[in-house]
DNA sequence: ACCGTAACACTAACGGTTAGCTTTTCAAAA
DNA sequence: TTTTGAAAAGCTAACCGTTAGTGTTACGGT
């Protein structure tokens, strides 16, 4: 179902990839702030306007892989097994995402992001957008008839868990600890019928 | 105790105030994005460089009043009565801050912020800085010997409460609802000795 | 073979921000 | 009072991310 990719789409994808690779290479080698867009474009042998045709901003060049982050969280909620409780499903997905971003291969990029304020800000803005769409997914669940505020709250808490766990010394333990807190918060907002 | 303010400091403060007032007036009248820094400077009758000598960025012009937000949260923790539990003290302060920012007088400015993506982003970045310093204040409390992760988690939750409550239809009710959740989360992270 | 259009290039500009340097203005030492 | 040091403000010119305007090329469907 990947469709017969024509030469056109292949070339486009290649250009995009070349830009992203070049940018990341230069950023890692010499630092994000000291490498300009004009230089990235020159090194990738494309026009500056082409860079912005493929990426919405300079920061977006660094977060090329994380496109599906948003969808994965929402789907963890909407596609979970019938009658499966919300929080454990959320916890599982957050843990997977944390593992993905603390993997050994991602270390240099993580370091680049952590050491560049502009990138940290950009990432946090992304996360907040993710929280909003997660809140919508939670609110849309017919099995959970609670307030909009509670949905948005839990969504933000989950994003907080992800962010904090990524920075923690022991990410796995951090996810466990924070989700114990989230579980308690959720039970207060939406008391289960079992008790 | 305001000290004998010399002419110099008075003039400096006056310049700063004039810039901030002019900027806010123009932004409210014609929109944030359509008013340039050069125009603000001209209207305030100062040089562009002077604007940036007083404010770190264009966005900072809008958040002139909120300087002490950060301190107030930290102090609500450090200066609370001996043996007073953490969460109620935090709740009280957050509620006060929410009231302050949803007051009638602040309505036009809030509307300006909500309607300008650049300002929303900037505000969120501020909040995260506030969360960090709040986390430090919580971690420094000798009565609460728990993990760094728990401190940072609660700090972010409190900031989330502020943000969500400011946007909610009924801010007071939102603070109540969210802090019930936070209370539960805190008790799991730091079980009180009473039970 | 032809045409519509998506992808890309080029130039020039806009707006936020900063560096470098000069001028003004206050405060306190001399 | 006069001198002097420094903070505050000004001016110019630029840097950098980003966008608009305008072509040009190369592909894909007819």
């Amino acid at each position: 179902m990947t469709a017969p990719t024509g030469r056109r789409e292949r070339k486009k994808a290649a250009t995009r990839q070349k830009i992203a690779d070049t940018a990341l290479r230069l950023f890692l080698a010499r630092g994000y702030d000291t490498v300009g867009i004009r230089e990235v474009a020159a090194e990738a042998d494309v026009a500056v306007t082409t860079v912005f045709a493929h990426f919405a901003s300079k920061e977006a060049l660094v977060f090329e892989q994380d496109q599906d982050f948003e969808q994965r969280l929402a789907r963890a909620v909407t596609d979970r097994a019938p009658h499966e409780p919300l929080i454990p499903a959320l916890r599982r997905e957050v843990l997977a995402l944390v593992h993905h971003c603390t993997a050994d291969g991602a270390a240099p990029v993580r370091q680049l992001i952590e050491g560049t304020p502009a990138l940290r800000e950009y990432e946090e803005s992304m996360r907040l957008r993710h929280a909003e769409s997660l809140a919508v997914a939670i609110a849309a669940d017919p099995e959970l008839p609670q307030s909009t505020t509670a949905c948005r709250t839990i969504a933000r808490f989950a994003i907080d868990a992800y962010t904090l766990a990524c920075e923690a010394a022991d990410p796995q333990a951090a996810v466990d600890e924070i989700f114990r807190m989230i579980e308690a918060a959720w039970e207060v907002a939406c008391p289960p019928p079992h008790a």
Side-chain angles (χ1 to χ4, degrees), chain A residues 152-191:
Chain A
R152 300 187 73 198
T153 302
I154 288 297
R156 283 184 85 114
F157 284 8
I159 297 295
D160 289 337
Y162 171 80
T163 304
L164 292 171
C166 282
E167 296 176 4
D170 184 344
Q172 166 96 39
V175 170
D176 288 342
E177 181 172 5
I178 300 173
F179 263 90
R180 256 180 272 125
M181 299 169 71
I182 294 180
E183 180 86 51
W186 179 247
E187 284 185 10
V188 168
C190 173

Side-chain angles (χ1 to χ4, degrees), chain A residues 78-153:
Chain A
T78 57
D79 294 4
R80 71 190 198 276
H83 306 295
E84 187 188 2
L86 173 71
I87 304 298
L90 217 41
R91 196 194 85 97
R92 203 174 346 106
E93 190 61 34
V94 168
L95 185 58
L97 291 169
V98 168
H99 278 145
H100 178 266
C101 114
T102 57
D104 289 351
V109 179
R110 270 254 70 74
Q111 204 171 348
L112 177 70
I113 296 171
E114 304 288 342
T116 309
L119 292 176
R120 295 187 63 121
E121 278 197 28
Y122 183 85
E123 185 172 25
E124 286 290 353
S125 288
M126 277 181 54
R127 302 303 176 217
L128 290 177
R129 290 207 324 273
H130 300 344
E132 277 307 308
S133 71
L134 176 56
V136 171
I138 296 175
D141 192 315
E143 292 185 14
L144 311 169
Q146 72 296 345
S147 77
T148 308
T149 296
C151 294
R152 300 187 73 198
T153 302

